[in-house]
């Protein structure tokens, strides 16, 4: 069966700044969903606040644009309610690694079968460029006029350390390869994190497409084994030469949270027939 590759397009056009890396990520996501032969009604995007979070407005699928840092708990709830859906949580580094950090760590250890795409540009773009948790030490912004004092943290190391079963990094300037990573992450049965190096042309212009293109490389080229957890952790360490590895860092097999829930064994919760369920005894127990 031939599927219409434009089925994830919407008439509304993104309002991102011209040249923003979010365009490349949106393009990659649509390519990945097409490659996975999914239909729009089978896909649900849960997004947080930030420029990145608006992506759920501009992809033809189910979408929920929630509170700052809260895309993950919403996505997990949606997956548990309707586990036949392909659920993708999405947001920025400010959203997910600042406000949403607690949710991120617990999502890593829960291993619900959802995919988390983080548009990582080192700044809070929507609020005009304040430094984010992945921003460079010394980064000058409206909240750090003398330069950021804190060191950036490394999301991939944290994700592996917290128990994530699929950890990868892509680049917004290579949407073909990023699409492959996203599709692979969606296929992975468990929590999959794809941290995406995203260009913010307006508030982090020093890290331009050229800047990234001179530094990114594929971990595969070094013969990296994603089954080797120690090697994956070592690969997340910053390189002395400044090069930035991309690709699949780590993959492991582990039971998903939902596999342990007997209520989901027969059919998704939303398909259960609840007409004959008598909740009176439960209510009496609560009164
Ligand atoms: Fe993109 Fe940055 Fe503009 Fe936001 S502020 S739309 S991240 S370029």
């Amino acid at each position: 069966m031939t599927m219409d590759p434009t089925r994830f397009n919407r008439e509304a056009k993104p309002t991102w700044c011209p040249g923003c890396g979010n365009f490349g990520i949106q393009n990659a996501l649509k390519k990945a969903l097409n490659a996975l032969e999914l239909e729009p009604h089978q896909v649900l995007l849960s997004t947080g606040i930030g420029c990145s979070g608006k992506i759920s407005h501009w992809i033809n699928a189910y979408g929920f644009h929630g509170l700052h840092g809260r895309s993950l708990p919403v996505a997990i709830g949606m997956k548990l309610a309707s586990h036949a859906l392909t659920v993708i949580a999405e947001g920025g580094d400010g959203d997910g690694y600042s406000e949403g950090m607690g949710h991120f760590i617990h999502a890593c250890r829960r291993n619900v079968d959802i995919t988390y795409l983080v548009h990582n540009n080192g700044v809070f773009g929507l609020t005009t460029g304040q430094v984010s948790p992945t921003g460079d030490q010394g980064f000058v912004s409206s909240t750090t006029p003398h330069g950021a004092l804190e060191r950036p943290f490394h999301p991939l190391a944290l994700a592996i350390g917290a128990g994530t079963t699929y950890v990868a990094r892509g680049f917004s300037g290579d949407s073909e390869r990023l699409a492959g990573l996203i599709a692979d992450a969606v296929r992975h049965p468990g929590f999959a994190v794809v941290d995406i190096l995203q260009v913010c042309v307006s508030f982090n212009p020093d890290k331009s497409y050229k800047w990234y293109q001179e530094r990114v490389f594929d971990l595969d080229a070094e013969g990296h084994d994603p089954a080797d957890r120690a090697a994956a952790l070592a690969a997340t360490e910053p390189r002395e030469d400044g090069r930035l590895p991309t690709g699949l860092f780590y993959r492991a097999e582990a039971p998903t949270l939902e596999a342990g829930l007997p209520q989901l064994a027969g059919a998704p919760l939303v398909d259960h027939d609840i007409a004959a369920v008598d909740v009176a005894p439960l209510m009496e127990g609560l009164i």
Side-chain angles (χ1 to χ4, degrees):
M1 181 176 62
T2 306
M3 304 181 91
D4 177 5
T6 66
R7 64 193 180 284
F8 291 101
N9 293 354
R10 299 201 64 187
E11 272 185 36
K13 297 290 177 236
T15 56
W16 293 314
C17 308
C20 174
N22 284 326
F23 287 101
I25 298 172
Q26 183 195 35
N27 192 19
L29 177 56
K30 287 196 279 192
K31 277 184 190 163
L33 296 175
N34 187 47
L36 291 162
E37 299 190 349
L38 291 164
E39 291 289 357
H41 71 273
Q42 297 173 306
V43 178
L44 195 150
L45 300 177
S46 167
T47 59
I49 300 299
C51 301
S52 54
K54 295 181 184 174
I55 199 166
S56 55
H57 303 202
W58 302 315
I59 291 209
N60 185 33
Y62 289 123
F64 183 93
H65 192 177
L67 299 177
H68 214 173
R70 310 292 178 242
S71 64
L72 278 172
V74 172
I76 289 171
M78 290 167 164
K79 185 69 181 184
L80 296 183
S82 189
H83 66 280
L85 279 173
T86 293
V87 177
I88 298 172
E90 199 154 1
D93 45 310
D95 181 71
Y97 299 152
S98 188
E99 282 85 353
M101 176 54 88
H103 296 302
F104 178 54
I105 293 170
H106 292 293
C108 292
R109 74 187 179 88
R110 281 192 184 114
N111 201 35
V112 174
D113 184 17
I114 63 173
T115 303
Y116 187 31
L117 308 180
V118 185
H119 303 211
N120 184 356
N121 57 21
V123 291
F124 288 83
L126 190 68
T127 49
T128 68
Q130 298 80 14
V131 68
S132 84
T134 55
D136 288 338
Q137 198 170 27
F139 186 81
V140 175
S141 72
S142 56
T143 48
T144 53
H146 304 295
L149 296 173
E150 296 144 315
R151 289 168 293 172
F153 94 99
H154 303 293
L156 302 185
L158 185 125
I160 295 168
T164 308
T165 53
Y166 184 103
V167 179
R169 179 154 67 191
F171 169 45
S172 67
D174 186 351
S175 69
E176 205 61 53
R177 193 155 162 262
L178 178 57
L181 278 177
I182 294 173
D184 198 34
V186 171
R187 281 190 204 100
H188 174 73
F191 186 55
V193 175
V194 184
D195 181 81
I196 303 165
L197 301 171
Q198 184 230 314
V199 175
C200 173
V201 293
S202 295
F203 296 109
N204 202 354
D206 289 351
K207 291 193 174 175
S208 62
Y209 287 95
K210 184 168 181 289
W211 187 94
Y212 278 114
Q213 278 155 356
E214 288 169 352
R215 289 164 176 79
V216 294
F217 71 97
D218 190 345
L219 265 179
D220 273 355
E222 294 186 336
H224 175 68
D225 175 7
D228 184 337
R229 191 169 181 275
L233 273 169
T236 68
E237 287 290 321
R239 308 256 170 151
E240 280 186 15
D241 60 7
R243 292 192 312 144
L244 297 164
T246 58
L248 178 59
F249 282 64
Y250 183 61
R251 173 162 40 203
E253 287 180 24
T256 61
L257 183 94
E258 54 270 41
L261 294 171
Q263 301 90 333
L264 305 184
L269 277 187
V270 292
D271 292 338
H272 286 206
D273 181 4
I274 58 171
V277 174
D278 181 8
V279 295
L282 175 67
M283 295 304 289
E284 280 165 17
L286 296 173
I287 294 171

